Amino acid sequence: MLPNSAAPSLINASTGTLISHLECPNCGKIYSTDVVRTVCENEACLSSLLARYDLTGGLHKDILIGRVANMWRYKEVLPIVNEENIVTLGEGFTPILRLKNLQHLAGKIEVLWKDESGNPTGSFKARGIGAAVSKAKELGINTIVTPTAGNAGGALAAYAARAGMQAVVYMPKLTPQVFKDECRLYGAELIEVEGSISDCGKLANEQAVINSWFQVSTLKEPYRLEGKKTMGYEIAEQLNWQLPDVILYPTGGGTGLIGLWKAFDEMEQLGWIGSHRPRMVAVQSTSCDGIVQAFHSGQVTATFVDGGFTIANGLRVPKPYADKLILKVLRDSNGTAVSVPDVLMSAALKEIARHEGMLIAPEGAALWQAFKQLKANNWIKNNEQVVLLNTGSGYKYLENIEV
Ligand SMILES: *Cc1c(COP(=O)(O)O)cnc(C)c1O
């Protein structure tokens, strides 16, 4: 007779994570990953903390063969220690789609969409929140709170439901109804706020301190970045370990941009890729383009810019917490920054829907317009390969689009 002990030992299986510590990229201070952390406690820093792994032993990329087609295929470079703490809805391993009927507008440039719209809750926020909620579970947290422009709130609500945790979400009133309804349906407490995500952030922070809730505000919590970086691993794996020449990214808080860059460094350390790096492009809404302004005026931090509503709700981030890290990636990569007005985002969204069969988020649509500009300026050149990172589904934004 077979012993019945296989199940428990499976449940207690280790992920094999190579996680080592958290590090402040500003002052170098090191923190343990065994306790709850937000940002660097050095008052002169208060920087986002970065998860560091022990990659010196290397890891052969053949380990990926036959693994699950979601972001946990990269579990050695994710922060969870016990498999049982992984809270997943199948996020990640999204397709890369070649431009089909609009390729003539790209000429000799190869345009690829990394399409995140099929993720649980309809955006790439599922990756970051999936990692953050999993680590929060591992650290014994019960209540988790976030300010959001929309998609992070829905993702947090869903993953908290899955994990058996309580979620509290602060969202601007001027957000399409579906973002609010999904939070409530997933059992989160939703607080609607006059103003932008910055106003939501202040309230969320006050209440988190009073109630001892754990905050997963963008880049004030170290593990959302880890989930989002898996896009970088996927782009490399799906392109046969050859990174593209340019990546366009719709930048709100900047997690994806910083995460991609971090993934590239880790993969080089692992020996999975060489030293070639894409030029990274931050794309913003003209109504909220603090990073674009700071980049072009040579500043190392961004100033607060809030022009109010934009159809790309996820891009209404008046001052990203990790502005320094975003600007550093743009400069280190020889990248650039471009802003796009709502009317052109809307037109781009319709063009992609009609000719490519993809109903992408306005944030993603902004990239198509930015691409055309960069091609016209010859910043992107013939024979280059470009990845446009569509961060979410357009279905949630229909209220913002005149059909
Ligand atoms: C949140 C969000 C963004 C911005 O992501 P950051 O990581 O905050 O830069 C872009 N697009 C969509 C659809 C989003 O939900």
Side-chain angles (χ1 to χ4, degrees):
M1 209 175 76
L2 283 170
N4 210 359
S5 59
S9 69
L10 252 185
I11 286 169
N12 289 319
S14 159
T15 57
T17 179
L18 299 171
I19 188 94
S20 155
H21 57 272
L22 293 169
E23 182 184 273
C24 173
N26 191 46
C27 74
K29 192 170 159 78
I30 282 172
Y31 298 91
S32 162
T33 54
D34 298 338
V35 288
V36 177
R37 282 283 164 206
T38 52
V39 295
C40 182
E41 60 191 19
N42 180 348
E43 289 288 329
C45 264
L46 302 176
S47 166
S48 312
L49 296 176
L50 302 180
R52 296 298 184 204
Y53 298 79
D54 182 4
L55 306 175
T56 49
L59 200 60
H60 202 283
K61 58 192 178 214
D62 282 355
I63 57 163
L64 300 174
I65 295 168
R67 284 214 176 157
V68 286
N70 66 45
M71 73 173 189
W72 297 101
R73 68 196 277 106
Y74 309 109
K75 60 189 183 165
E76 284 85 357
V77 287
L78 286 168
I80 315 305
V81 177
N82 292 318
E83 295 261 7
E84 65 185 294
N85 293 323
I86 293 178
V87 181
T88 179
L89 292 163
E91 56 289 335
F93 225 67
T94 55
I96 290 187
L97 301 171
R98 195 173 294 279
L99 205 59
K100 203 88 184 145
N101 300 312
L102 294 174
Q103 181 57 47
H104 63 283
L105 298 180
K108 287 199 163 66
I109 299 163
E110 185 185 13
V111 177
L112 304 170
W113 282 102
K114 172 74 171 160
D115 186 15
E116 292 289 302
S117 62
N119 273 308
T121 69
S123 86
F124 76 149
K125 291 296 193 300
R127 296 179 188 261
I129 295 291
V133 167
S134 297
K135 193 64 190 179
K137 183 177 177 199
E138 187 150 87
L139 295 173
I141 283 160
N142 297 313
T143 304
I144 196 159
V145 56
T146 196
T148 178
N151 276 318
L156 182 68
Y159 284 85
R162 185 94 175 164
M165 287 181 206
Q166 180 61 46
V168 185
V169 174
Y170 289 78
M171 189 184 293
K173 262 209 180 85
L174 281 181
T175 309
Q177 188 63 31
V178 62
F179 290 99
K180 301 172 189 172
D181 290 342
E182 68 172 339
C183 287
R184 294 198 174 103
L185 284 167
Y186 289 126
E189 186 186 337
L190 176 73
I191 296 104
E192 296 182 42
V193 178
E194 291 292 349
S196 73
I197 194 173
S198 300
D199 304 291
C200 295
K202 276 177 214 140
L203 290 174
N205 186 51
E206 277 168 29
Q207 289 304 311
V209 172
I210 293 171
N211 299 294
S212 306
W213 294 336
F214 182 58
Q215 275 196 81
V216 290
S217 179
T218 297
L219 286 156
K220 291 187 191 172
E221 183 280 340
Y223 302 113
R224 281 177 67 181
L225 181 68
E226 295 306 289
K228 285 218 182 147
K229 85 177 177 192
T230 58
M231 296 187 296
Y233 281 85
E234 283 174 27
I235 288 171
E237 187 178 359
Q238 291 171 318
L239 297 180
N240 209 12
W241 308 104
Q242 214 67 54
L243 297 180
D245 298 299
V246 178
I247 297 180
L248 271 61
Y249 177 79
T251 306
T255 332
L257 188 89
I258 298 164
L260 288 166
W261 200 247
K262 183 172 189 284
F264 301 153
D265 279 349
E266 289 174 2
M267 283 187 288
E268 188 176 359
Q269 285 180 60
L270 284 167
W272 292 6
I273 59 169
S275 59
H276 170 71
R277 292 289 183 277
R279 310 197 299 282
M280 305 294 286
V281 182
V283 179
Q284 297 199 294
S285 162
T286 39
S287 66
C288 197
D289 64 348
I291 293 295
V292 178
Q293 291 185 28
F295 179 81
H296 291 290
S297 59
Q299 307 296 311
V300 294
T301 61
T303 49
F304 188 98
V305 179
D306 183 18
F309 179 80
T310 161
I311 61 168
N313 303 88
L315 300 188
R316 191 177 168 199
V317 180
K319 183 174 174 16
Y321 192 75
D323 51 354
K324 275 189 196 165
L325 296 178
I326 297 170
L327 288 159
K328 187 166 182 330
V329 170
L330 298 181
R331 294 192 172 113
D332 286 353
S333 74
N334 289 314
T336 189
V338 177
S339 59
V340 176
D342 277 17
V343 284
L344 294 179
M345 272 184 224
S346 185
L349 185 151
K350 290 175 186 175
E351 188 171 38
I352 295 294
R354 186 179 176 92
H355 298 286
E356 299 288 328
M358 300 164 66
L359 193 51
I360 63 178
E363 292 87 342
L367 306 181
W368 178 232
Q369 175 58 28
F371 166 77
K372 288 181 186 173
Q373 275 169 236
L374 292 169
K375 177 181 184 298
N377 300 344
N378 208 29
W379 192 90
I380 299 176
K381 298 185 179 60
N382 282 344
N383 303 316
E384 290 196 308
Q385 186 188 53
V386 182
V387 169
L388 310 186
L389 218 152
N390 175 46
T391 42
S393 166
Y395 286 91
K396 295 170 87 175
Y397 296 77
L398 293 181
E399 226 178 276
N400 288 351
I401 307 296
E402 234 175 89
V403 180

